[in-house]
């Protein structure tokens, strides 16, 4: 089995579960460390010719992270393309099992079983907080409707204020974000790398939680530790 992955979190999932099947991955596929495969460009601009030259049995992609014209070009070249859709945590578990099975691995490896147990706890009903969750600045963009990261936060007791927005990642001026009156601001370190010196200053007087983007947005082995890591970061913002 030869597999090319166009999604960083799926790259990690396949690499640690079915070692040796990956022959290509994007430039953004940073986990696991030291992954030695052919790099085929970015998630939004993969080198189709390079992928075809690798002669993969399967290309794994995601409907949000990858562009349909690129996937269509791969199909036109005769390649099998498996496209995932991940909008919440339960769907992430189902899609991971589907991908791993398609790659010839176990549908429920140990790390996935641990992740499922970690997220089996129901969301808290009391003490819930509201948040805005920027993912970019210049211009400011935030989580909107039907996002995996939004569902992750909801399961930790954080309701983001743009969950009902018509767009999934709306552009909203920072003044409007402040006027929304959130209890806190959640600032991940990807895709935009928010830091203690870049982000919190735009929200004076509002607690800011700096969180790992991999724990907030990746669906893969990181899910086994994400709940604990994110909960710790969210609690720290209110100390």
């Amino acid at each position: 089995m030869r597999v090319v992955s166009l999604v960083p979190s799926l790259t990690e999932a396949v690499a640690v579960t079915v070692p040796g099947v990956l022959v290509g991955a994007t430039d953004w596929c940073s986990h696991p460390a030291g992954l030695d495969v052919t790099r085929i460009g970015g998630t939004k601009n993969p080198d189709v010719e390079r992928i075809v030259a690798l002669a993969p049995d399967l290309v794994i992609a995601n409907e949000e992270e990858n562009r349909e014209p690129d996937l269509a070009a791969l199909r036109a070249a005769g390649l099998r393309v498996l496209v995932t859709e991940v909008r919440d945590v339960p769907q992430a578990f189902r899609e991971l099992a589907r991908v791993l099975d398609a790659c010839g691995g176990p549908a429920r490896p140990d790390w996935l079983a641990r992740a499922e147990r970690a997220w089996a706890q129901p969301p808290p009903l009391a003490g819930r907080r509201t948040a805005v969750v920027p993912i970019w600045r210049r211009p400011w963009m935030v989580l909107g409707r039907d996002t995996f990261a939004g569902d992750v936060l909801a399961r930790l007791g954080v309701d983001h204020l743009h969950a009902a927005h018509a767009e999934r990642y709306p552009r909203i001026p920072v003044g409007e974000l402040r006027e929304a009156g959130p209890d806190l601001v959640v600032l991940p370190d990807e895709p935009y790398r928010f830091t203690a010196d870049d982000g919190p200053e735009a929200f004076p007087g509002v607690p800011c939680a700096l969180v790992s983007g991999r724990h907030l947005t990746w669906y893969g082995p990181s899910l086994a530790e994400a709940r604990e890591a994110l909960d710790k970061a969210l609690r720290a913002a209110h100390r």
Side-chain angles (χ1 to χ4, degrees), residues 172-193:
I172 300 180
V174 69
E176 291 185 25
L177 298 180
R178 290 192 292 258
E179 290 170 3
D183 296 323
L184 76 159
V185 179
V186 179
L187 298 170
D189 61 10
E190 61 175 78
Y192 185 91
R193 188 173 181 79

Side-chain angles (χ1 to χ4, degrees), residues 8-17 31-32 93 96 100 109-112 114-115 119 214-215 218-227:
S9 50
L10 296 180
T11 296
E12 182 180 18
V14 172
V16 302
T17 308
H31 288 72
F93 291 145
L96 282 165
L100 295 175
D110 289 345
W111 64 261
L112 185 52
R114 284 187 283 109
W119 289 96
R214 178 168 169 263
H215 287 136
W218 286 38
Y219 35 91
S222 59
L223 277 172
E225 61 193 43
R227 184 165 197 149

Side-chain angles (χ1 to χ4, degrees), residues 184-188 206-211 230 233-237:
L184 76 159
V185 179
V186 179
L187 298 170
V206 183
C208 291
L210 294 167
V211 304
L230 291 170
L234 293 170
R235 291 179 184 276

Side-chain angles (χ1 to χ4, degrees), residues 119-199:
W119 289 96
Q121 180 181 340
L125 298 177
R128 300 188 69 84
R129 293 167 287 172
T130 61
V132 294
V133 190
I135 58 167
W136 202 259
R137 68 182 301 177
R138 305 183 193 94
W140 286 91
M141 298 176 66
V142 300
L143 292 186
R145 64 171 179 84
D146 297 333
T147 64
F148 171 75
D151 185 61
V152 165
L153 289 172
R155 293 169 186 274
L156 295 171
V158 177
D159 301 309
H160 73 93
L161 292 174
H162 298 90
H165 197 283
E167 299 177 26
R168 296 186 67 205
Y169 301 99
R171 297 184 181 188
I172 300 180
V174 69
E176 291 185 25
L177 298 180
R178 290 192 292 258
E179 290 170 3
D183 296 323
L184 76 159
V185 179
V186 179
L187 298 170
D189 61 10
E190 61 175 78
Y192 185 91
R193 188 173 181 79
F194 288 104
T195 67
D197 300 318
D198 186 355

